Amino acid sequence: MGGFAGLANMEDFGKMLQEHPLYDAYWQSKKIDAKNIRDIPVYFTASYSTGLHTEGSLEGFQAASTPKKWIRIHASQEWHDLYTVKANDDLQRFFDFYAKGIQNGWEEDTPPVRLTLLGFGNSPAKTIVERPEQEWPPASLRMEKYYLDATTKSLSSSKPDATATTTHEGHSLTDSSDFKLVFSDYTELSGRPFVKLFMSAPSHDDLDVVVQIRKLSASGEVLESLNWSPMPQPQPEVPNVNVAKHLGPQGMLRASHRVSMAPRTSDNEYPSYDHRSRQPITPGEIVELLIPIWPMGVVYEVGEGLVLKISGHDMSLPEIKMLRPTEPRDENKGQHIVHTGGEYDSYLVLPRIA
């Protein structure tokens, strides 16, 4: 706090969250509406490895009303990218054109979107760095649906006929229900995935659900993506912090907030919530949950795949080691049950570039 200008005061957001557990006028007063960016040029950057500037940057880029907007989705962690000569030179061209009037061809030469797709470490898939695109998500995108099967712990394009369940401890930092998918051909995923899950909690009237997509090697190894290159240490010695490693996109939902979801026009529409209302569940009741997942951009070679992890805890790495939790801090109680097959068509929707 001593580093802030002015009176060095700040709001106690933890206390305010207790007093304002739903999205109300207090939280609305904090929101900046990117639609109001109408008549100035904007240069956005985004990466997949930050808890702030993945969804925030991409949502802002899509929402901004100005026709003069560019986004560069870069491959490295944002602080590393920020200080590279290449990034500085590119931003200099932008400011030279709009702030100094230097006719350097910025508008003619710069694609609206420069798309990066991560290959992940120890994978033959090569990271695609800043490929020119006209929009994000790419125009050639198609949404593909993969059904969960609790019997085989797998994901498939065909819905299982038989119902089945799998269980994990909701109040745990390690337990999860995992479902695997292997790609039979070269695959690029780019955009916002989401899941529909049928779940129940016999011991409580609410449950926090966290989902994460991890990349798998052809041999089934769970992969990580290092956030800059060259890394000064070999991968096994790189600290398990989000600044250095990206595990994969994550999403979360508190079941009682399912009633605050915005109306959808199709099954492929990304779910969104205003969090202005809540409705507890009945213990043991099977509820349908649509859980948004943050944007992803990943390349898969033939035989590689992914695992969808479902748990009651945040599965991302901490920003720094001292923030790593040593015990769960949530309101989950007892077991969480995932229901699949038959009438419980739990599925994962993936954004695939055709």
XYZ file of all heavy atoms in Angstrom, residues 6-63:
464
model
N -1.060 9.393 -3.832
C -2.126 10.014 -3.073
C -2.080 9.636 -1.602
O -1.016 9.605 -0.983
N -3.230 9.302 -1.032
C -3.328 9.000 0.392
C -2.983 7.553 0.702
O -3.062 7.142 1.855
C -4.743 9.316 0.896
C -5.194 10.778 0.737
C -6.641 10.939 1.182
C -4.284 11.704 1.541
N -2.647 6.766 -0.328
C -2.269 5.360 -0.150
C -3.382 4.549 0.505
O -3.138 3.619 1.265
C -0.973 5.231 0.637
N -4.639 4.904 0.227
C -5.775 4.146 0.748
C -6.285 3.176 -0.306
O -6.141 3.411 -1.511
C -6.916 5.088 1.152
C -6.547 5.968 2.318
O -5.782 5.557 3.191
N -7.091 7.184 2.345
N -6.879 2.092 0.125
C -7.491 1.176 -0.827
C -8.698 0.520 -0.174
O -8.789 0.427 1.055
C -6.501 0.118 -1.302
C -6.014 -0.852 -0.242
S -4.759 -1.994 -0.857
C -5.645 -2.854 -2.132
N -9.640 0.068 -1.020
C -10.837 -0.576 -0.510
C -10.525 -1.996 -0.052
O -9.673 -2.673 -0.613
C -11.907 -0.608 -1.597
C -12.432 0.758 -1.964
C -13.473 0.680 -3.070
O -14.652 0.443 -2.765
O -13.087 0.845 -4.237
N -11.251 -2.439 0.954
C -11.125 -3.804 1.451
C -12.091 -4.677 0.656
O -13.251 -4.865 1.036
C -11.449 -3.837 2.949
C -11.209 -5.201 3.572
O -11.077 -6.179 2.808
O -11.159 -5.294 4.806
N -11.593 -5.222 -0.452
C -12.486 -5.964 -1.341
C -12.963 -7.274 -0.702
O -14.048 -7.764 -1.006
C -11.793 -6.240 -2.675
C -11.764 -5.055 -3.584
C -10.564 -4.473 -3.944
C -12.929 -4.520 -4.087
C -10.535 -3.366 -4.781
C -12.920 -3.421 -4.915
C -11.717 -2.834 -5.273
N -12.137 -7.860 0.162
C -12.588 -9.059 0.864
C -13.817 -8.784 1.709
O -14.793 -9.546 1.688
N -13.776 -7.672 2.453
C -14.921 -7.281 3.280
C -16.122 -6.916 2.411
O -17.268 -7.288 2.717
C -14.529 -6.099 4.174
C -15.642 -5.605 5.083
C -16.017 -6.628 6.124
C -16.999 -6.053 7.120
N -17.422 -7.069 8.127
N -15.877 -6.206 1.322
C -16.985 -5.803 0.445
C -17.621 -7.016 -0.228
O -18.826 -7.030 -0.500
C -16.488 -4.799 -0.590
C -15.986 -3.494 0.002
S -17.181 -2.699 1.127
C -18.430 -2.164 -0.035
N -16.833 -8.047 -0.495
C -17.393 -9.256 -1.084
C -18.344 -9.936 -0.096
O -19.371 -10.494 -0.487
C -16.275 -10.206 -1.493
C -16.701 -11.485 -2.222
C -17.445 -11.151 -3.505
C -15.491 -12.345 -2.532
N -18.015 -9.876 1.193
C -18.917 -10.432 2.192
C -20.218 -9.630 2.271
O -21.298 -10.197 2.445
C -18.231 -10.448 3.559
C -17.049 -11.405 3.631
C -16.336 -11.327 4.976
O -16.620 -10.444 5.789
N -15.417 -12.263 5.208
N -20.103 -8.330 2.142
C -21.285 -7.472 2.243
C -22.090 -7.449 0.948
O -23.288 -7.172 0.966
C -20.864 -6.054 2.623
C -20.219 -5.952 3.999
C -19.880 -4.529 4.374
O -20.234 -3.606 3.602
O -19.255 -4.328 5.435
N -21.424 -7.713 -0.187
C -22.093 -7.693 -1.499
C -21.774 -8.997 -2.233
O -21.004 -9.012 -3.189
C -21.621 -6.497 -2.329
C -21.848 -5.157 -1.688
N -22.959 -4.379 -1.947
C -21.097 -4.455 -0.786
C -22.891 -3.261 -1.249
N -21.760 -3.286 -0.529
N -22.376 -10.116 -1.812
C -22.021 -11.408 -2.409
C -22.533 -11.578 -3.837
O -22.044 -12.453 -4.557
C -22.670 -12.415 -1.466
C -23.817 -11.676 -0.849
C -23.346 -10.266 -0.708
N -23.503 -10.769 -4.256
C -24.008 -10.812 -5.630
C -23.611 -9.543 -6.363
O -23.242 -8.534 -5.768
C -25.527 -10.974 -5.637
C -26.058 -12.277 -5.021
C -27.578 -12.258 -4.990
C -25.549 -13.486 -5.783
N -23.693 -9.597 -7.693
C -23.304 -8.453 -8.520
C -24.397 -7.389 -8.420
O -25.514 -7.576 -8.888
C -23.120 -8.906 -9.962
C -22.439 -7.887 -10.846
C -21.055 -7.824 -10.938
C -23.182 -6.977 -11.594
C -20.424 -6.900 -11.743
C -22.560 -6.048 -12.408
C -21.187 -6.013 -12.482
O -20.562 -5.080 -13.285
N -24.053 -6.260 -7.805
C -25.021 -5.198 -7.583
C -24.419 -3.867 -8.008
O -23.409 -3.818 -8.720
C -25.473 -5.173 -6.125
C -24.306 -5.013 -5.148
O -23.183 -4.662 -5.591
O -24.512 -5.230 -3.937
N -25.021 -2.777 -7.569
C -24.568 -1.446 -7.984
C -23.132 -1.176 -7.554
O -22.392 -0.457 -8.243
C -25.506 -0.380 -7.421
N -22.722 -1.756 -6.406
C -21.342 -1.542 -5.956
C -20.350 -2.096 -6.967
O -19.409 -1.408 -7.381
C -21.128 -2.199 -4.591
C -19.676 -2.179 -4.160
C -19.098 -1.018 -3.665
C -18.884 -3.319 -4.278
C -17.761 -0.991 -3.288
C -17.549 -3.301 -3.903
C -16.993 -2.136 -3.419
O -15.672 -2.101 -3.054
N -20.552 -3.348 -7.392
C -19.623 -3.955 -8.350
C -19.784 -3.330 -9.729
O -18.814 -3.179 -10.474
C -19.849 -5.464 -8.418
C -19.588 -6.143 -7.107
C -20.497 -6.732 -6.279
C -18.312 -6.269 -6.455
N -19.874 -7.222 -5.154
C -18.538 -6.957 -5.238
C -17.013 -5.879 -6.780
C -17.504 -7.261 -4.353
C -15.987 -6.182 -5.892
C -16.244 -6.856 -4.691
N -21.000 -2.945 -10.082
C -21.210 -2.302 -11.377
C -20.427 -1.007 -11.480
O -19.940 -0.631 -12.550
C -22.707 -2.018 -11.581
C -23.068 -1.352 -12.904
C -22.778 -2.218 -14.110
O -22.939 -3.434 -14.029
N -22.344 -1.621 -15.199
N -20.249 -0.314 -10.346
C -19.511 0.949 -10.360
C -18.037 0.744 -10.686
O -17.339 1.700 -11.022
C -19.649 1.644 -9.000
O -18.931 0.949 -7.991
N -17.550 -0.504 -10.590
C -16.140 -0.795 -10.888
C -15.918 -1.153 -12.352
O -14.779 -1.221 -12.819
C -15.644 -1.972 -10.030
C -15.945 -1.859 -8.552
C -15.275 -0.657 -7.923
C -15.620 -0.550 -6.444
N -15.107 0.706 -5.865
N -16.978 -1.406 -13.079
C -16.852 -1.943 -14.427
C -16.638 -0.846 -15.462
O -17.314 0.181 -15.439
C -18.100 -2.752 -14.794
C -18.028 -3.402 -16.173
C -19.253 -4.261 -16.437
C -19.244 -4.820 -17.856
N -18.073 -5.663 -18.137
N -15.695 -1.072 -16.354
C -15.474 -0.185 -17.489
C -16.096 -0.840 -18.725
O -15.791 -1.995 -19.033
C -13.972 0.044 -17.732
C -13.316 0.636 -16.474
C -13.746 0.937 -18.945
C -13.861 1.972 -16.062
N -16.976 -0.154 -19.403
C -17.660 -0.708 -20.564
C -16.826 -0.434 -21.810
O -16.736 0.704 -22.279
C -19.049 -0.093 -20.711
C -19.900 -0.823 -21.743
O -19.337 -1.665 -22.481
O -21.108 -0.555 -21.812
N -16.228 -1.482 -22.366
C -15.361 -1.315 -23.532
C -16.129 -0.864 -24.766
O -15.524 -0.366 -25.728
C -14.622 -2.620 -23.818
N -17.457 -1.017 -24.777
C -18.240 -0.532 -25.927
C -18.105 0.974 -26.100
O -18.323 1.506 -27.198
C -19.719 -0.907 -25.755
C -20.026 -2.387 -25.832
C -21.526 -2.629 -25.779
C -21.848 -4.112 -25.902
N -21.364 -4.883 -24.731
N -17.750 1.666 -25.025
C -17.608 3.122 -25.089
C -16.311 3.561 -25.773
O -16.100 4.759 -25.966
C -17.682 3.721 -23.689
C -19.062 3.556 -23.070
O -20.059 3.511 -23.784
N -19.123 3.457 -21.755
N -15.442 2.603 -26.110
C -14.240 2.942 -26.885
C -14.671 3.010 -28.346
O -14.726 1.995 -29.039
C -13.135 1.890 -26.698
C -12.813 1.715 -25.210
C -11.876 2.294 -27.466
C -11.832 0.600 -24.925
N -15.003 4.217 -28.807
C -15.662 4.363 -30.110
C -14.796 5.026 -31.176
O -14.860 4.656 -32.339
C -16.952 5.175 -29.950
C -17.989 4.553 -29.035
C -19.290 5.329 -29.110
N -20.303 4.765 -28.241
C -20.544 5.156 -27.004
N -19.825 6.146 -26.474
N -21.485 4.592 -26.262
N -14.027 6.035 -30.809
C -13.433 6.886 -31.844
C -11.933 7.081 -31.680
O -11.372 8.061 -32.163
C -14.130 8.254 -31.861
C -14.140 8.908 -30.482
O -13.538 8.340 -29.557
O -14.740 9.987 -30.351
N -11.266 6.161 -30.983
C -9.811 6.232 -30.897
C -9.228 4.884 -31.328
O -9.860 3.841 -31.147
C -9.319 6.585 -29.474
C -9.792 5.538 -28.464
C -9.787 7.969 -29.069
C -9.165 5.694 -27.096
N -8.046 4.872 -31.906
C -7.393 3.605 -32.250
C -6.866 2.922 -30.993
O -6.446 3.583 -30.041
C -6.250 4.035 -33.175
C -5.957 5.441 -32.786
C -7.265 6.046 -32.347
N -6.922 1.586 -30.979
C -6.522 0.822 -29.798
C -5.603 -0.325 -30.206
O -5.849 -1.017 -31.200
C -7.740 0.252 -29.050
C -7.305 -0.359 -27.721
C -8.788 1.314 -28.810
N -4.557 -0.504 -29.430
C -3.607 -1.606 -29.602
C -3.753 -2.509 -28.378
O -3.404 -2.129 -27.266
C -2.188 -1.040 -29.693
C -1.065 -2.019 -29.946
C -0.299 -1.944 -31.101
C -0.715 -2.984 -29.011
C 0.764 -2.804 -31.334
C 0.334 -3.861 -29.225
C 1.079 -3.767 -30.384
O 2.121 -4.618 -30.604
N -4.301 -3.717 -28.579
C -4.463 -4.683 -27.499
C -3.345 -5.720 -27.568
O -2.894 -6.088 -28.662
C -5.791 -5.443 -27.639
C -7.024 -4.644 -27.345
C -7.648 -3.898 -28.341
C -7.601 -4.663 -26.084
C -8.802 -3.179 -28.081
C -8.757 -3.945 -25.819
C -9.358 -3.206 -26.813
N -2.925 -6.200 -26.409
C -2.108 -7.406 -26.349
C -2.802 -8.409 -25.441
O -3.558 -8.037 -24.532
C -0.687 -7.143 -25.825
O -0.767 -6.623 -24.489
C 0.058 -6.178 -26.720
N -2.551 -9.687 -25.686
C -3.146 -10.740 -24.862
C -2.227 -11.947 -24.882
O -1.432 -12.134 -25.808
C -4.523 -11.127 -25.390
N -2.329 -12.755 -23.842
C -1.651 -14.043 -23.803
C -2.552 -15.018 -23.081
O -3.549 -14.633 -22.470
C -0.291 -13.936 -23.112
O -0.465 -13.686 -21.726
N -2.214 -16.290 -23.147
C -3.033 -17.314 -22.490
C -2.565 -17.603 -21.069
O -3.198 -18.380 -20.363
C -2.977 -18.619 -23.293
C -3.395 -18.455 -24.736
C -2.463 -18.569 -25.763
C -4.716 -18.176 -25.076
C -2.846 -18.412 -27.091
C -5.099 -18.015 -26.392
C -4.152 -18.136 -27.401
O -4.528 -17.974 -28.709
N -1.479 -16.987 -20.650
C -0.815 -17.391 -19.415
C -0.980 -16.388 -18.285
O -0.159 -16.339 -17.376
C 0.678 -17.613 -19.681
O 1.267 -16.457 -20.248
N -2.013 -15.589 -18.308
C -2.209 -14.606 -17.252
C -3.637 -14.677 -16.731
O -4.582 -14.922 -17.492
C -1.916 -13.182 -17.748
O -2.432 -12.236 -16.801
C -2.580 -12.908 -19.079
N -3.783 -14.476 -15.435
C -5.107 -14.456 -14.838
C -5.861 -13.157 -15.048
O -7.024 -13.045 -14.670
N -5.211 -12.174 -15.649
C -5.843 -10.870 -15.863
C -6.092 -10.561 -17.336
O -7.153 -10.080 -17.703
C -4.968 -9.761 -15.264
C -4.817 -9.748 -13.749
C -3.845 -8.653 -13.344
C -6.149 -9.548 -13.075
N -5.098 -10.809 -18.179
C -5.128 -10.254 -19.526
C -5.307 -11.311 -20.606
O -4.783 -11.187 -21.703
C -3.862 -9.421 -19.770
C -3.656 -8.392 -18.711
N -2.461 -8.207 -18.059
C -4.530 -7.514 -18.160
C -2.592 -7.241 -17.167
N -3.832 -6.814 -17.208
N -6.046 -12.354 -20.281
C -6.486 -13.295 -21.303
C -7.924 -12.945 -21.666
O -8.181 -12.320 -22.683
C -6.374 -14.749 -20.806
O -5.014 -15.016 -20.445
C -6.788 -15.715 -21.901
N -8.846 -13.299 -20.793
C -10.246 -12.960 -21.046
C -10.446 -11.444 -21.105
O -11.192 -10.941 -21.944
C -11.130 -13.564 -19.962
C -12.598 -13.175 -20.029
C -13.301 -13.658 -21.286
O -12.738 -14.490 -22.015
O -14.419 -13.173 -21.558
N -9.759 -10.698 -20.237
C -9.950 -9.249 -20.206
C -9.581 -8.586 -21.513
O -10.330 -7.765 -22.054
N -8.421 -8.936 -22.074
C -7.978 -8.313 -23.323
C -8.843 -8.743 -24.501
O -9.236 -7.923 -25.338
C -6.520 -8.677 -23.597
O -5.666 -8.049 -22.669
N -9.145 -10.045 -24.586
C -9.909 -10.537 -25.730
C -11.358 -10.042 -25.692
O -11.925 -9.685 -26.718
C -9.848 -12.061 -25.773
C -8.464 -12.602 -26.169
C -8.311 -14.056 -25.785
C -8.228 -12.418 -27.666
N -11.937 -10.000 -24.501
C -13.289 -9.454 -24.384
C -13.291 -7.970 -24.734
O -14.195 -7.476 -25.418
C -13.832 -9.669 -22.972
C -15.243 -9.142 -22.775
C -15.753 -9.317 -21.359
O -15.114 -10.050 -20.579
O -16.800 -8.706 -21.025
N -12.281 -7.239 -24.249
C -12.201 -5.815 -24.561
C -12.040 -5.567 -26.046
O -12.666 -4.655 -26.606
N -11.224 -6.383 -26.714
C -11.033 -6.240 -28.152
C -12.340 -6.464 -28.900
O -12.696 -5.697 -29.804
C -9.975 -7.228 -28.634
C -9.845 -7.309 -30.134
C -9.215 -6.290 -30.831
C -10.366 -8.386 -30.833
C -9.108 -6.349 -32.223
C -10.262 -8.452 -32.219
C -9.623 -7.430 -32.911
N -13.074 -7.505 -28.522
C -14.334 -7.784 -29.206
C -15.379 -6.707 -28.931
O -16.167 -6.357 -29.818
C -14.869 -9.146 -28.777
C -14.085 -10.322 -29.340
C -14.725 -11.653 -28.985
O -14.745 -12.033 -27.817
N -15.246 -12.349 -29.970
N -15.393 -6.175 -27.715
C -16.446 -5.229 -27.337
C -16.195 -3.818 -27.838
O -17.148 -3.066 -28.083
C -16.599 -5.210 -25.814
